[in-house]
Amino acid sequence: MDNGTAGGAPGTDPDGAGKPSCDSAEIDPAGPYADGPWRNYFLILLDRIPTPIAVCRAYGEVMIANPAMAAQWGAAPGQLRGRNLLDLFEPRAKAQLDRLTEALLRGRRSRYPVEVRWRDSSDGSAREGELTIDPVGDPSVHPPALLALLRVSETAPPPAPGGSASPVEARILALAAGGATTASIGTALGLTVDGVNYHLTRLARRWRVQGRTALVARAYVLGVLSADSWPPSPA
């Protein structure tokens, strides 16, 4: 994983174009589950895991992310494809990133913790946590894909329980207020049904309400949805 500093990304070409040196070995983010129906099972499982997870190329480019990870960016999972993890997460110690880069260059495959900080997408508060980076995939593919799991620090300031909502959450609420079904919301925003439910559950916990009707009503009271527009739209 690389942050654009001197030296370039591990396994890139010498011209500095930022492309992997093994373009002929295309990496499927589903790894060993890439064939047949197993790939769909893998993606469904990834959507349902509450832990923020992303599968990236060796230099940090996101290939796939689950809703929990996308929520940290205030985006839908599909919008993260092609983005770099280091656009969001700032390593607290460059030495940890250097250790990971060296390990990838030497072909080592172990788990590497990287302490990071970032801004919560819903309210802009400072957050801290740890990215666990695990090289995965076929041993013959070099450099390997990276599985990144985010653990949010328990000591970080909790998100404010006020009327904050990420852009994706606000669009979900606007569609729900207009009577859209979970499936149609997912189609409109490029989310799975599980992804839509993840965001609704996250909002319900933050605002301490139960049910979609209460969520929509709360969104209007808090000013997340515009009170003078139809069809409903974010304020």
Side-chain angles (χ1 to χ4, degrees):
M1 191 160 63
D2 183 72
N3 60 358
T5 57
T12 58
D13 61 29
D15 298 327
K19 300 295 183 182
S21 60
C22 57
D23 285 341
S24 59
E26 183 64 26
I27 300 172
D28 191 299
Y33 305 104
D35 295 329
W38 291 105
R39 189 177 199 280
N40 289 334
Y41 298 154
F42 166 80
L43 297 177
I44 291 171
L45 177 62
L46 193 65
D47 269 358
R48 294 185 177 183
I49 295 175
T51 301
I53 298 174
V55 182
C56 313
R57 297 187 185 278
Y59 47 93
E61 179 190 352
V62 175
M63 292 190 287
I64 190 169
N66 70 347
M69 179 64 83
Q72 302 300 322
W73 301 61
Q79 294 175 317
L80 296 191
R81 186 175 176 85
R83 299 284 301 277
N84 195 292
L85 276 186
L86 295 177
D87 290 343
L88 172 69
F89 299 112
E90 177 188 355
R92 292 180 60 84
K94 186 176 180 295
Q96 292 181 324
L97 203 61
D98 292 340
R99 192 178 306 118
L100 171 60
T101 300
E102 168 127 8
L104 293 174
L105 288 171
R106 295 179 178 273
R108 297 173 184 161
R109 295 208 174 197
S110 299
R111 291 181 178 176
Y112 297 89
V114 179
E115 295 178 1
V116 292
R117 52 193 169 197
W118 70 99
R119 291 282 175 182
D120 188 277
S121 64
S122 63
D123 62 5
S125 62
R127 306 291 281 160
E128 295 183 354
E130 182 180 88
L131 275 174
T132 299
I133 310 296
D134 196 353
V136 294
D138 191 328
S140 66
V141 176
H142 184 78
L146 303 178
L147 179 66
L149 289 84
L150 176 66
R151 179 181 61 82
V152 181
S153 174
E154 295 289 342
T155 59
S164 58
S166 71
V168 171
E169 291 169 341
R171 291 198 296 271
I172 289 174
L173 288 168
L175 290 168
T181 64
T182 303
S184 61
I185 292 173
T187 300
L189 300 181
L191 293 167
T192 64
V193 169
D194 287 328
V196 174
N197 286 331
Y198 169 82
H199 284 290
L200 290 173
T201 300
R202 190 168 184 254
L203 276 168
R205 288 173 179 168
R206 188 190 311 155
W207 292 350
R208 300 182 178 90
V209 299
Q210 292 184 347
R212 186 171 302 193
T213 301
L215 265 177
V216 169
R218 185 75 166 150
Y220 278 111
V221 170
L222 295 173
V224 172
L225 296 180
S226 175
D228 55 359
S229 65
W230 188 268
S233 63

